[in-house]
Amino acid sequence: MSALAVATAAAATAAAVTAARSERPSSPGSSRGFYFNTVLSLARSLAVQRPAPLEKVQKLLCMCPVDIHGVFQLDERRRDAVIALGIFLIESDLQHKDTLIPYLLRLLRGLSKVQWIEESNSRKGRGLLPVAENFSFCLVTLLSDVAYRDAALREQVLEAILQVMQVLLGLCQSPQIQDKEYLCKYAVPCLIGISRAFGRYSNSEESLLSKLFPQLSPHSLKTTSELDGIRRRSFNDFRSILPNSLLSVCQEGSLKRKTSSVSPERGVPPPPGSPGGTAVQYFEGSYLPDGSAVDPTYYFTTISSSFSVSPLFNGINNKEFSIPLEMLRELLNMVKQIVGDSVLKNLDAVVPEVIEMNPHADLYYKMFSDPLYVAQFKMLRDTLYYMKDLPNSFVKEIHDFVLEQFNSSQAELQKILHDVDRLHNELNPLKLRCQANAACVDLMVWAVKDEQGAENLCIKLSEKLQSKTSSKVIIAHLPLLICCLQGLGRLCERFPVVVHSVTPSLRDFLVIPSPVLVKLYKYHNQFTTGGNDIKISITNEHAESTVSVLSGKKNQASMYEQLRDIAIDNICRCLKAGLTVDPVIVEAFLASLSNRLYISQESDKEAHLIPDHTIRALGHIAVALRDTPKVMEPILQILQQKFCQPPSPLDVLIIDQLGCLVITGNQYIYQEVWNLFQQISVKASSIVYSATKDYKDHGYRHCSLAVINALANIAANIQGEHLVDELLMNLLELFVQLGLEGKRASERASEKGPALKVSRDVRPLGE
C-alpha cells in the first residue's frame, strides 16, 4: 500500500475514534457508538483508494454475519459491519462488486429467517423503529443504490428484493402457522422496511446510503462558543427576502444563491409536534422545500418515512430508472395482496394474541394495517413515477386500483375520526391514512392520459382543497392538501387546457383565503415571536453542515408558511403552462389578483391575510415568469401603487418583493426600485437630523430598515458584473447623499438653537 493510502487510512480511523469518544447524537452514525464509527471510517478510508486492496476489503467482510445452515445471526456489531461494507461498495464506485454483491444478496434472501440479537433497551432509549425494519431499510437502500448505478446488476437485484417480499408476504398470509412473536417483532417490520426503500434512488451524485450515514464535517465537532464566534464574525444581521418557494426558482438560469446567503431565524421554535411548529415530521423529505436537508435520524425514527422521488413538489426531471414490465406487474399484484382486508385484519388480530401470551414481548407496532398500507402506496408511487412507455392497459389497471383504494381510504378516515381509541393511538393512524391518500393522489395524477381525465381529476382535487377540516385533525391532512396543490400544478403542465379551471381554484385557496390557511395562520401566530425583528443569521439552506455552523439549529418554515408558499408556487406553474395556450392568461390573472389588494379588511380580523398573500404571489409570479414579456413591469406598477397607500406593515412586505424583482437582473426594474429605495432612505433619515423631531410625520421610517435589509439581500445575490458595479456606485452615492443631508440638517438646526451633532463617520463626506 502506498504511503498516501496508509496516511489516509490512519487519518480516517483517528477521526472515527475522536467522533466516537465525543458521543455526539447529531447523526445516526455518531449516536451508534465507537465500534460503528470505527468500521465506517475504515470503510471510507478503503473507498478512496484506487484500487482498494482486496485483502483489506475481505477483513471488513469477515466482520459481517455468516450464514450457518442458511440462517444469519445479526447482532448490533454485525449489522454495523454490513452498513460499513455497503458504504465502501457505494463510495468506491462498486469496487470488488463480484465478491460483495453475491454476499449481500444472500443476506437479503435470508432476512425472513434471520436470528436477531437485540441489545436491551437500545431502541427504546433513542425512539428508534424496530431493529429489523431499520436494518432491512438500510440493506435495500444499499441494493437500490447498486441497481441504479449498475444496469447490468439491476434485474438481478430487483428480482431478489421482490422474491424476499413475496416470502415475507407468505408469512403474513398464514399467521396462524407461524411463530407469532417472530412474525410481529421481525418479519412484518422487515416487510415494512423493504417497502420503504424499494424503488428509490438518489436525485444527486451522493447515494441514498451516504445520505443516511453522512460523513461528519469538521464544523460539527466545534463547541458552542466556537460557533458563536463564527456567527459574530459573519455578516449575519439580515433576514432573507427569498423564501424557499422562491429559492427553487432563483436557482434556475441566471439566479443562484451564494453559499453565504441570508436566511431566516424564527426566534424560539415551538414544540416539534405543535401546529405552529415545522412540518418536517409530517411531510416526506421531498416535500420540504430544501429536500435533502432532513436529518438522517428522521428515517430511523419516523413511521413510513422514505426517500420519495415524487416530482410533484419541485418538478425535477430525473433520468429514467427502468424496471421490466413483468416486475412491475409482480409488484402491483403484491401490493394488491398486502393491502387486502384479509391480510391487514389478520395481522392486526395477531398482535393482541402475542401480547397476551407474552406481556413483555416489547412490540413496537400495536397494529400493522396503517403502517403497511401507507408503505405500499408510497412504494408504488415512487417506483412508477419515472417509468415511461408503459402499456395503456397497465396504467389504467393502476389508475382503477388506486382510485378504488382512495375512495375506500376516505371512508376509513371517517371511521378513524369517530373511533376515539384509533384517533388517539400513539401510531397516529389518521396521519398515516392521509399520507396514503396523498400517495394515491400522486398516482392518479401520474396515470391520467387524456384531457377529459385531467379535467375530472382537477375537479376532484379542487373540491378537496375547499373542503372544511376540523382543527383537531388539520395537521394530519396537510400531506393530502399539499399533494392536491402539487397535483393541480402538475396537471396544468401536462394538459395546459385545464389551466382556466385550475387557476381560479388556486387563487381562491390563497386569497379568499382557504379555511385551512386561516386556521394554520392562527397556530403560526401563537408561536411566532419577535415578528418585527430583522436580525437573522446568514447560512446556506441547502448545505446541512453550513446550517449547523452558522445558525445552530434548522429553521424550517412553519406549516402555514409552507402551505401558503406551495400554493403560490403552483399558481406560477399553472400560469407558465397556460402561456402555451393563452398568451394573455397572465395579464388576466394579474388583474383579478390585484383587485384583492383593495378588499375591505374591517369585516374579518384575518382579512389582512388577503393583501399579504396577494403581494407574495405577485412577487413570486414576477420572478418565476421573469423571462416572459409584460409580466414584471405590470407587477412593479401594482406594487408601487399599493406602497404606502396608506402606510402599513404591508409596506415591508412590498419592499421584500421589490428586492426579489431586482435580484432577477432586469435593468429597468433595478433602476425603478433603486430610485424608490433611495427616496425612502433619504426621507427616513431626514427625521433623524431634524431639530423639531416631529414624530407624527413618520415618512418612510416604518420601512427604512426593510430597505437596508433588501439591499443586503440584493448585494448577496445579484448576478452580473455590470449590475454589481452599478449597485456599488449607487450605494456610495447614497452614503454621500445621506452625509450631505445630515450636514444641511445640522446647519438648519444651528440657526434655530444648539448645533445638532452629526456622526463623525458621515459628516466628512458632506463637507
Side-chain angles (χ1 to χ4, degrees), residues 17 44 187 198 255 291 309 384 474 483 503 537 547-548 605 674:
V17 171
R44 286 195 157 115
F198 181 83
L255 295 180
V309 298
L384 291 172
I474 194 170
C483 277
T503 48
S537 301
V547 170
S548 300
K605 60 183 178 180
W674 173 260

Side-chain angles (χ1 to χ4, degrees), residues 545-578:
S545 59
T546 314
V547 170
S548 300
V549 176
L550 296 177
S551 70
K553 63 175 183 290
K554 291 181 188 174
N555 298 304
Q556 298 290 348
S558 72
M559 297 178 193
Y560 157 71
E561 292 168 320
Q562 287 197 26
L563 196 62
R564 176 199 67 199
D565 290 346
I566 288 168
I568 295 173
D569 183 53
N570 282 283
I571 287 174
C572 295
R573 293 173 70 182
C574 292
L575 292 177
K576 192 177 291 188

Side-chain angles (χ1 to χ4, degrees), residues 170-375:
L171 299 179
C172 297
Q173 288 174 322
S174 55
Q176 298 305 324
I177 62 173
Q178 310 298 332
D179 179 339
K180 294 180 182 179
E181 184 171 341
Y182 185 91
L183 180 72
C184 294
K185 204 169 184 180
Y186 303 116
V188 182
C190 258
L191 180 58
I192 295 174
I194 293 172
S195 301
R196 288 170 48 211
F198 181 83
R200 279 72 168 195
Y201 55 92
S202 179
N203 288 333
S204 62
E205 291 299 316
E206 185 182 19
S207 70
L208 295 184
L209 191 68
S210 298
K211 290 181 179 181
L212 282 177
F213 302 98
Q215 297 191 55
L216 288 175
S217 67
H219 295 314
S220 63
L221 299 178
K222 290 184 180 292
T223 64
T224 304
S225 59
E226 289 174 314
L227 295 178
D228 289 341
I230 293 174
R231 282 198 290 273
R232 283 194 297 271
R233 293 192 300 272
S234 300
F235 177 62
N236 66 348
D237 291 334
F238 301 94
R239 64 177 168 81
S240 173
I241 61 174
L242 293 173
N244 285 319
S245 57
L246 276 175
L247 281 178
S248 60
V249 176
C250 292
Q251 285 163 348
E252 301 168 2
S254 62
L255 295 180
K256 295 181 181 178
R257 191 154 197 197
K258 297 176 181 170
T259 303
S260 60
S261 56
V262 199
S263 82
E265 178 179 289
R266 305 184 186 281
V268 179
S274 66
T278 66
V280 66
Q281 62 176 328
Y282 296 98
F283 308 141
E284 295 171 83
S286 65
Y287 285 159
L288 293 173
D290 51 3
S292 61
V294 175
D295 191 301
T297 307
Y298 169 81
Y299 299 103
F300 297 101
T301 58
T302 307
I303 297 172
S304 86
S305 55
S306 62
F307 287 104
S308 172
V309 298
S310 169
L312 288 185
F313 186 78
N314 49 31
I316 295 174
N317 292 318
N318 285 22
K319 130 175 143 173
E320 185 180 355
F321 181 69
S322 59
I323 298 177
L325 180 60
E326 57 272 18
M327 287 189 180
L328 294 177
R329 290 190 186 279
E330 183 181 350
L331 180 68
L332 177 60
N333 290 332
M334 199 181 309
V335 169
K336 287 181 177 180
Q337 294 178 64
I338 293 173
V339 301
D341 283 345
S342 60
V343 171
L344 297 180
K345 286 181 179 178
N346 288 341
L347 287 176
D348 282 346
V350 170
V351 176
E353 293 179 23
V354 172
I355 295 175
E356 186 178 351
M357 289 186 295
N358 180 8
H360 305 290
D362 188 27
L363 299 184
Y364 182 88
Y365 292 107
K366 301 304 185 285
M367 60 187 304
F368 288 113
S369 53
D370 296 312
L372 256 179
Y373 191 87
V374 66

Side-chain angles (χ1 to χ4, degrees), residues 370-627:
D370 296 312
L372 256 179
Y373 191 87
V374 66
Q376 300 315 300
F377 283 101
K378 285 186 178 182
M379 174 180 67
L380 194 61
R381 175 198 62 194
D382 293 343
T383 302
L384 291 172
Y385 220 101
Y386 291 111
M387 299 295 105
K388 296 179 181 178
D389 304 322
L390 294 176
N392 288 338
S393 58
F394 180 63
V395 174
K396 186 176 185 305
E397 181 184 358
I398 293 169
H399 177 272
D400 293 345
F401 166 65
V402 170
L403 179 59
E404 178 188 354
Q405 290 296 320
F406 178 79
N407 291 331
S408 65
S409 195
Q410 288 289 94
E412 185 67 22
L413 282 177
Q414 296 303 314
K415 290 182 184 177
I416 295 174
L417 287 173
H418 294 90
D419 186 336
V420 177
D421 291 336
R422 288 188 69 187
L423 185 60
H424 298 289
N425 187 290
E426 61 184 28
L427 297 183
N428 201 338
L430 181 69
K431 182 183 76 173
L432 297 177
R433 281 286 168 167
C434 286
Q435 289 180 1
N437 282 5
C440 288
V441 168
D442 289 350
L443 280 166
M444 288 190 287
V445 171
W446 169 82
V448 168
K449 293 299 180 186
D450 56 57
E451 294 175 356
Q452 186 57 50
E455 193 74 50
N456 295 338
L457 185 54
C458 285
I459 294 172
K460 185 184 288 286
L461 299 184
S462 296
E463 289 175 351
K464 188 64 185 173
L465 284 179
Q466 298 303 330
S467 61
K468 292 185 178 180
T469 304
S470 167
S471 299
K472 295 179 181 178
V473 297
I474 194 170
I475 299 172
H477 277 80
L478 283 178
L480 182 55
L481 292 173
I482 285 178
C483 277
C484 289
L485 290 169
Q486 307 293 10
L488 290 172
R490 178 64 174 156
L491 286 170
C492 286
E493 291 174 340
R494 293 181 59 199
F495 305 99
V497 294
V498 304
V499 165
H500 290 97
S501 61
V502 170
T503 48
S505 176
L506 291 176
R507 181 198 63 212
D508 292 347
F509 178 84
L510 185 68
V511 299
I512 290 295
S514 161
V516 172
L517 277 176
V518 173
K519 289 174 184 175
L520 285 177
Y521 173 75
K522 290 178 181 177
Y523 289 131
H524 164 80
N525 229 19
Q526 290 173 12
F527 292 102
T528 301
T529 57
N532 296 322
D533 187 3
I534 66 167
K535 183 176 177 64
I536 349 224
S537 301
I538 290 181
T539 136
N540 175 5
E541 294 184 10
H542 296 273
E544 192 168 61
S545 59
T546 314
V547 170
S548 300
V549 176
L550 296 177
S551 70
K553 63 175 183 290
K554 291 181 188 174
N555 298 304
Q556 298 290 348
S558 72
M559 297 178 193
Y560 157 71
E561 292 168 320
Q562 287 197 26
L563 196 62
R564 176 199 67 199
D565 290 346
I566 288 168
I568 295 173
D569 183 53
N570 282 283
I571 287 174
C572 295
R573 293 173 70 182
C574 292
L575 292 177
K576 192 177 291 188
L579 285 170
T580 60
V581 293
D582 183 357
V584 297
I585 188 172
V586 178
E587 184 180 342
F589 185 82
L590 291 179
S592 68
L593 190 63
S594 60
N595 289 336
R596 307 296 298 176
L597 284 174
Y598 302 98
I599 298 293
S600 172
Q601 298 182 25
E602 297 176 1
S603 58
D604 189 348
K605 60 183 178 180
E606 267 80 42
H608 68 279
L609 291 178
I610 297 173
D612 181 287
H613 292 175
T614 302
I615 291 169
R616 291 180 192 277
L618 289 169
H620 196 168
I621 291 169
V623 175
L625 303 179
R626 61 189 177 277
D627 297 324

